[in-house]
Amino acid sequence: MAEHPHSSDYPALAEAIIGFVHYARREGLMVGVQECQEALRTASMGLLQEKSTFAYALRAIFCTSPDEAAQFDKLFDLFWGNKKGAIRSRTTYRNQSNIQKKSPGSLVWMGMGQKQEEGKEEEGRNVSGANAVERLRKTDFAKVAEMDSELLEELALQLWKQMSLRLKRRLKASPRQGRIDLRQTIRASISRGGDPIDLRKKRRAPRKQRLAILLDVSGSMDKYSYFLLRFIWSLRAHFEKVEAFIFSTQLIRITDFLDHRNLERTLGMLSLQAHNWSSGTKIGECLKTFNEQFARQALSGQPITIILSDGLDTGEPELLAAELGNIKRRARKLIWLNPLKGMQGYEPTARGMQAALPAIDTFRSAHNLDSLLELEKYLWHV
Amino acid sequence: MSNNAPGLEAIKARFDELGYVVDEELATILFLMLRLGKPLLLEGNPGVGKTEVANVLAAFLDTELIRLQCYEGLDVHSAVYEWNYQKQLLSIKIQENSGRSEAEKEHHIFGEGFLLKRPLLQSITGEKPPVLLIDEIDRADEEFEAFLLELLSAFQISIPELGTIKASNRPLVILTSNRTRELSDALKRRCLYHWVNFPDMEKELQIVRKHLPGIEQALARNLVQMVQLLRNKKLDKTPGIAETLDWARGLEALGYKTLEKEGVEKSLGCLLKSAGDIEKIRSEGVGNLLAEVENG
């Protein structure tokens, strides 16, 4: 880090505090005039005897997240610490693995810290952490470096879990009461001598949220299906009902395997099932199997249907178009996620994709974490 | 706000008496909260004792605790006020032949007696400033958050029929969040912020001893070590402090004086609340975990 101001540069305490506020603001903390005033008041309250107490107080005023708190600690040490070396941070933000789970921000830089040579980049870590998350979220699944893939997986599971939790809450029967049901209210008023004492309300019937997912596991999708399968698994945990299938040259129903709460076991059992992973694709024929054997059950209750495939089909495009049409008639919404769409300059020119487009409601990319998280919008507004 | 707010040492001592182990940092922040009169936002994993802070604070200040549990779809009617519709109707019926004018009747039925006060209104109309706990604010929708923001800045609520009700006393507000979504910056900036960690070994041991004064020292130490160990594993539901205490009580009730394999296996359900987690720990072997605890 370049030159930074230090408390000893200022003639008096009040000036030093203001100096610190400016420093913190310059380093990206949201510290406004009000916070500054509060910091000054804090100083007048006798919280200064102990440096740690002063740090706690200012941290509560300046920060709004664990990430910011970690950054604050660093700035505080630099500004108020001994001029030469920084005091070691007292807080345990870095050591508690539980925070990993909750805060994606700290998650990555903690992991990064373990992988790098210890202690070398003490200072820069936090900053690179925030960037690393951003970077990972935007990284194409196919281009994830070996080293990052574990981090990405953890980050992904975490974010997906949050997403499906939010979706689940929204889709539950809303406890908000509906409009007054006049007919029922008048009817109920008969027993009260004609006065509408008891208001009857109309509630929207709770809608069971269903999802059908078809994942392409052919060779061309290899790098993506690793993550996409995990994505499906995490959706499964929070939806009313998820019917899931994988296909390449054959279609396999994997709904039952997803029931396991243990992801690794699910994946293990799946790999036993699939003999033809990572070979060619016959999307049309697989969808035909789907329509013939499974659609009645999987598409009951008009689920949202998601197809995850790059559309590189070796079968007949006409068949694909026809079968997609069949699915569309029974699904509430048909979403096609194509990892290739994330590439610059991609046009859906593959024959399969061309044939598919007319039947699709939503055509989106699925090449990185952010693009999958955006799906939340589409699953919600149905 | 007030200059007669209790000092830092008083907070620590009294919280301790009330059975809450408060560390230096939280004590400082509570002190600050009382002095500045700002709301306090507590974030952290479930089961780290966020809600308990509000309970103990209310006991500490010897005042009422008003709690608003947030959920998706929480609206003004259940959070602020509602008119008692049935009572209003009956009142109209009763007054039918009283000869009062229309305006008088209307004035009557929109009086305070017909108002059902919900937590937020209650909290600003009390005699003594209460502690207002807004629990799990991350579950409420964004619109509600915006409404709350208004309340927290002005401490007044307008009711069209009655006019504006200004806070007679400003409540002490504690918000908690499990961080399932980011709260708005505006709300966060209104508040003091504190991230509540799982307690470290020493602190958790203190908590266990505080709640179970009769517990065997060796048992207490080992079981806390075990919990700390489990928190570092990737579990579905990381055990919180309540689980530790449940477990300690369970082991005590079963008559164990030390932490042993049989006892742990029997009582694992007190600590781990998901079938997957229990299975995971069983398959890793309780014996191995105990050995890890032994070796520190």
Side-chain angles (χ1 to χ4, degrees):
Chain A
M1 193 171 289
E3 273 301 288
H4 60 84
H6 190 267
S7 51
S8 58
D9 305 341
Y10 297 89
L13 182 67
E15 272 102 8
I17 291 176
I18 294 171
F20 182 58
V21 167
H22 283 275
Y23 176 45
R25 192 182 297 155
R26 210 176 63 216
E27 292 295 323
L29 291 177
M30 295 273 284
V31 189
V33 178
Q34 201 195 345
E35 282 79 6
C36 181
Q37 283 172 353
E38 279 163 1
L40 288 168
R41 279 179 64 190
T42 306
S44 66
M45 277 176 209
L47 283 175
L48 273 178
Q49 284 100 347
E50 293 270 347
K51 194 183 269 175
S52 60
T53 318
F54 186 52
Y56 297 148
L58 287 192
R59 183 158 68 205
I61 295 173
F62 285 11
C63 301
T64 59
S65 75
D67 286 348
E68 283 186 15
Q71 197 192 354
F72 172 88
D73 287 346
K74 211 176 63 193
L75 299 179
F76 189 89
D77 272 353
L78 285 173
F79 191 88
W80 299 95
N82 299 331
K83 183 104 196 204
K84 280 193 173 167
I87 303 173
R88 287 201 67 81
S89 163
R90 262 166 246 88
T91 48
T92 48
Y93 285 97
R94 288 173 195 184
N95 306 332
Q96 280 277 353
S97 69
N98 299 303
I99 297 181
Q100 274 198 0
K101 288 190 175 171
K102 279 295 163 191
S103 148
S106 51
L107 173 115
V108 167
W109 57 264
M110 283 179 63
M112 301 282 278
Q114 285 157 12
K115 291 233 162 79
Q116 287 164 359
E117 292 296 307
E118 307 133 286
K120 247 189 172 176
E121 283 186 295
E122 189 75 26
E123 280 190 3
R125 217 188 268 172
N126 185 28
V127 183
S128 74
N131 296 339
V133 171
E134 280 303 300
R135 182 172 58 75
L136 273 181
R137 287 175 65 144
K138 293 189 168 32
T139 307
D140 195 309
F141 288 139
K143 297 186 182 112
V144 175
E146 196 69 36
M147 197 188 90
D148 286 345
S149 107
E150 210 173 303
L151 292 174
L152 178 62
E153 195 178 329
E154 208 166 321
L155 177 65
L157 285 179
Q158 171 64 25
L159 290 173
W160 289 335
K161 194 172 166 191
Q162 285 180 7
M163 165 179 147
S164 34
L165 194 66
R166 281 194 298 266
L167 281 171
K168 187 186 179 188
R169 281 186 188 151
R170 286 192 190 124
L171 298 169
K172 262 198 207 162
S174 140
R176 202 190 317 233
Q177 297 208 318
R179 295 179 180 180
I180 293 170
D181 183 341
L182 267 186
R183 257 178 74 173
Q184 287 299 324
T185 305
I186 291 171
R187 202 185 158 94
S189 74
I190 294 171
S191 64
R192 305 280 192 174
D195 288 325
I197 299 287
D198 302 311
L199 288 186
R200 293 295 158 94
K201 302 200 173 165
K202 263 185 212 164
R203 280 175 202 229
R204 248 191 305 163
R207 194 197 277 154
K208 286 225 170 175
Q209 196 55 38
R210 291 156 188 272
L211 203 60
I213 303 185
L214 294 126
L215 170 65
D216 185 345
V217 292
S218 62
S220 52
M221 285 284 288
D222 221 7
K223 284 179 175 138
Y224 297 101
S225 48
Y226 177 84
F227 281 100
L228 294 177
L229 205 54
R230 283 162 172 74
F231 177 62
I232 295 175
W233 180 81
S234 48
L235 283 178
R236 171 71 185 84
H238 292 287
F239 268 80
E240 201 82 46
K241 193 159 184 261
V242 176
E243 283 283 351
F245 300 84
I246 51 175
F247 65 90
S248 54
T249 49
Q250 280 175 355
L251 181 89
I252 302 172
R253 180 167 180 266
I254 58 167
T255 308
D256 297 335
F257 302 112
L258 291 177
D259 265 336
H260 278 274
R261 294 191 62 94
N262 188 325
L263 173 64
E264 295 313 318
R265 187 173 301 175
T266 301
L267 295 176
M269 292 195 325
L270 279 180
S271 55
L272 288 180
Q273 285 296 313
H275 305 294
N276 54 347
W277 281 47
S278 309
S279 50
T281 331
K282 290 184 176 149
I283 308 180
E285 276 177 42
C286 288
L287 292 185
K288 187 162 179 245
T289 322
F290 174 74
N291 278 327
E292 282 167 0
Q293 294 181 18
F294 301 106
R296 188 178 297 274
Q297 190 193 349
L299 296 184
S300 72
Q302 293 198 318
I304 303 167
T305 304
I306 302 177
I307 296 176
L308 292 153
S309 168
D310 52 14
L312 300 177
D313 190 10
T314 51
E316 287 301 312
E318 292 77 24
L319 183 64
L320 174 61
E323 296 301 333
L324 268 182
N326 284 338
I327 293 179
K328 179 164 165 68
R329 266 195 293 285
R330 304 175 102 151
R332 182 179 307 144
K333 199 166 187 184
L334 182 57
I335 301 175
W336 187 302
L337 300 179
N338 187 339
L340 298 183
K341 195 163 183 257
M343 284 189 337
Q344 264 193 343
Y346 168 79
E347 293 288 334
T349 45
R351 282 193 314 152
M353 215 53 245
Q354 278 290 341
L357 277 179
I360 300 170
D361 294 311
T362 310
F363 181 48
R364 299 195 57 80
S365 74
H367 64 294
N368 62 14
L369 201 48
D370 270 353
S371 65
L372 284 177
L373 289 170
E374 273 172 32
L375 193 60
E376 180 175 354
K377 284 198 287 245
Y378 296 89
L379 293 181
W380 178 26
H381 293 298
V382 281
Chain B
M1 287 288 117
S2 56
N3 285 321
N4 50 13
L8 199 49
E9 293 308 316
I11 291 180
K12 274 191 277 183
R14 185 79 180 103
F15 266 60
D16 200 53
E17 274 171 47
L18 291 166
Y20 191 88
V21 181
V22 60
D23 57 25
E24 189 77 32
E25 178 169 12
L26 185 57
T28 309
I29 292 169
L30 287 169
F31 170 80
L32 208 57
M33 173 192 178
L34 295 174
R35 281 294 178 91
L36 295 175
K38 269 187 114 175
L40 170 63
L41 169 63
L42 295 172
E43 282 195 325
N45 294 318
V48 291
K50 298 187 293 287
T51 307
E52 192 58 19
V53 174
N55 280 326
V56 180
L57 185 66
F60 170 68
L61 297 169
D62 190 24
T63 181
E64 199 187 349
L65 174 77
I66 297 174
R67 182 176 169 189
L68 177 67
Q69 170 68 52
C70 296
Y71 52 83
E72 183 82 32
L74 176 67
D75 60 358
V76 174
H77 293 305
S78 26
V80 187
Y81 74 93
E82 202 168 6
W83 288 107
N84 190 339
Y85 164 78
Q86 278 87 349
K87 196 173 164 192
Q88 285 176 325
L89 262 191
L90 287 173
S91 172
I92 295 171
K93 259 294 198 219
I94 292 165
Q95 293 182 50
E96 234 164 33
N97 302 317
S98 67
R100 288 194 196 174
S101 76
E102 204 104 320
E104 277 172 340
K105 280 184 197 167
E106 189 179 324
H107 186 73
H108 177 69
I109 61 164
F110 285 107
E112 290 239 14
F114 294 84
L115 195 64
L116 294 173
K117 289 182 183 176
R118 302 293 185 211
L120 292 183
L121 187 58
Q122 254 175 42
S123 74
I124 66 163
T125 51
E127 293 272 297
K128 198 175 173 188
V131 172
L132 172 64
L133 168 65
I134 300 172
D135 218 356
E136 305 194 58
I137 172 77
D138 51 333
R139 302 191 112 198
D141 346 43
E142 271 104 19
E143 301 95 76
F144 185 74
E145 207 180 303
F147 173 80
L148 206 58
L149 205 61
E150 229 178 280
L151 176 76
L152 291 183
S153 48
F155 285 99
Q156 58 180 33
I157 289 171
S158 339
I159 299 174
E161 298 86 351
L162 273 183
T164 303
I165 299 184
K166 239 181 135 49
S168 46
N169 282 302
R170 281 192 172 199
L172 288 154
V173 187
I174 291 189
L175 302 110
T176 76
S177 155
N178 287 333
R179 242 182 126 74
T180 54
R181 70 176 172 84
E182 281 286 329
L183 303 175
S184 73
D185 277 341
L187 183 69
K188 288 201 280 194
R189 291 195 59 192
R190 286 260 145 55
C191 305
L192 295 173
Y193 178 84
H194 180 49
W195 171 268
V196 189
N197 259 331
F198 280 113
D200 59 15
M201 172 78 205
E202 284 312 314
K203 188 177 168 196
E204 190 156 27
L205 195 56
Q206 256 181 306
I207 297 172
V208 170
R209 289 204 183 116
K210 190 139 246 139
H211 283 85
L212 295 117
I215 196 166
E216 295 285 331
Q217 294 302 317
L219 177 63
R221 177 160 281 278
N222 283 343
L223 82 87
V224 170
Q225 273 171 334
M226 178 95 157
V227 174
Q228 299 265 341
L229 201 67
L230 287 176
R231 289 212 184 110
N232 284 325
K233 306 225 176 264
K234 279 176 197 154
L235 296 176
D236 260 358
K237 292 207 167 59
T238 310
I241 296 170
E243 276 77 26
T244 313
L245 291 174
D246 277 353
W247 195 39
R249 284 193 196 103
L251 285 168
E252 221 187 11
L254 290 169
Y256 287 99
K257 300 256 185 268
T258 53
L259 197 65
E260 47 196 279
K261 189 160 180 266
E262 191 199 337
V264 174
E265 272 172 355
K266 269 191 202 163
S267 57
L268 215 49
C270 296
L271 189 62
L272 302 175
K273 303 289 171 64
S274 105
D277 288 346
I278 292 180
E279 198 185 321
K280 179 170 175 182
I281 295 306
R282 287 238 161 90
S283 68
E284 280 185 24
V286 172
N288 297 339
L289 278 173
L290 280 174
E292 250 181 276
V293 169
E294 289 293 315
N295 300 328

